[in-house]
Amino acid sequence: MVKFEESTSGSSSIGDTVSCALERAQLENRLVVGLSAVAKDLSVSNEDAIFLLLSPPEIGDSATHLHSKLLEAFCYENDIYIIKVDSSKKLSRILKTSNLECCALIQRSNSVDNQSDQLTSAEESLVDHCEEFWDCQHQPIIRLPE
């Protein structure tokens, strides 16, 4: 698997960008957390989905692995960006949840002032990152901040 190297030049890393996008989406109620909730949300409507964040399932958890692969395939078919992160524990900590979560879905804004397609600067950076690796067989795994 390809690992994304974090920046050591003092500038913000892609992991920090992911964390920022997650926190902002959560504050704005644009975040769906957990495999079941994400699958249910995508089955009802996928037009508002921007990013699916996935962490590796625990070793031996074949059910979660299978669900993750199915979600990945659905997202590829529907042009939803997939961001693979290094740890469920870190993802859960960023989301401030006591449950160990292996996925989250960031949705577009539901604003009524006609700016629903406007992305935050963190989300724009993530789109650029995802576009860079869109055709790669192995997506890079982003290291989330400790």
Side-chain angles (χ1 to χ4, degrees):
M1 297 202 135
V2 178
K3 292 268 187 184
F4 185 86
E5 295 296 323
E6 293 211 43
S7 171
T8 56
S9 63
S11 63
S12 179
S13 73
I14 193 71
D16 292 331
T17 303
V18 169
S19 180
C20 179
L22 282 167
E23 289 168 354
R24 175 90 179 257
Q26 191 169 38
L27 282 173
E28 296 174 357
N29 293 320
R30 301 184 293 118
L31 191 66
V32 180
V33 178
L35 272 174
S36 297
V38 168
K40 182 178 179 181
D41 187 78
L42 288 174
S43 70
V44 173
S45 173
N46 61 27
E47 293 85 23
D48 291 332
I50 307 171
F51 304 105
L52 174 69
L53 290 97
L54 286 173
S55 65
E58 297 294 317
I59 295 174
D61 187 355
S62 57
T64 300
H65 177 74
L66 180 60
H67 283 113
S68 295
K69 289 298 180 185
L70 291 171
L71 277 175
E72 248 183 281
F74 181 88
C75 289
Y76 279 124
E77 278 186 26
N78 291 281
D79 296 326
I80 299 168
Y81 296 114
I82 298 169
I83 299 173
K84 294 186 177 183
V85 297
D86 65 331
S87 167
S88 295
K89 290 178 185 173
K90 292 178 187 177
L91 180 62
S92 299
R93 182 187 42 76
I94 291 167
L95 299 173
K96 296 177 178 80
T97 179
S98 58
N99 298 330
L100 192 60
E101 301 295 351
C102 65
C103 78
L105 183 71
I106 297 178
Q107 299 175 320
R108 295 187 195 291
S109 175
N110 292 330
S111 68
V112 293
D113 59 359
N114 236 0
Q115 294 182 357
S116 62
D117 287 337
Q118 195 168 18
L119 301 176
T120 66
S121 60
E123 290 168 348
E124 288 176 3
S125 294
L126 291 178
V127 167
D128 292 342
H129 170 78
C130 291
E131 286 290 329
E132 182 179 345
F133 295 101
W134 185 259
D135 292 328
C136 292
Q137 184 177 7
H138 297 288
Q139 296 290 315
I141 297 173
I142 294 175
R143 296 187 70 198
L144 294 174
E146 294 296 328

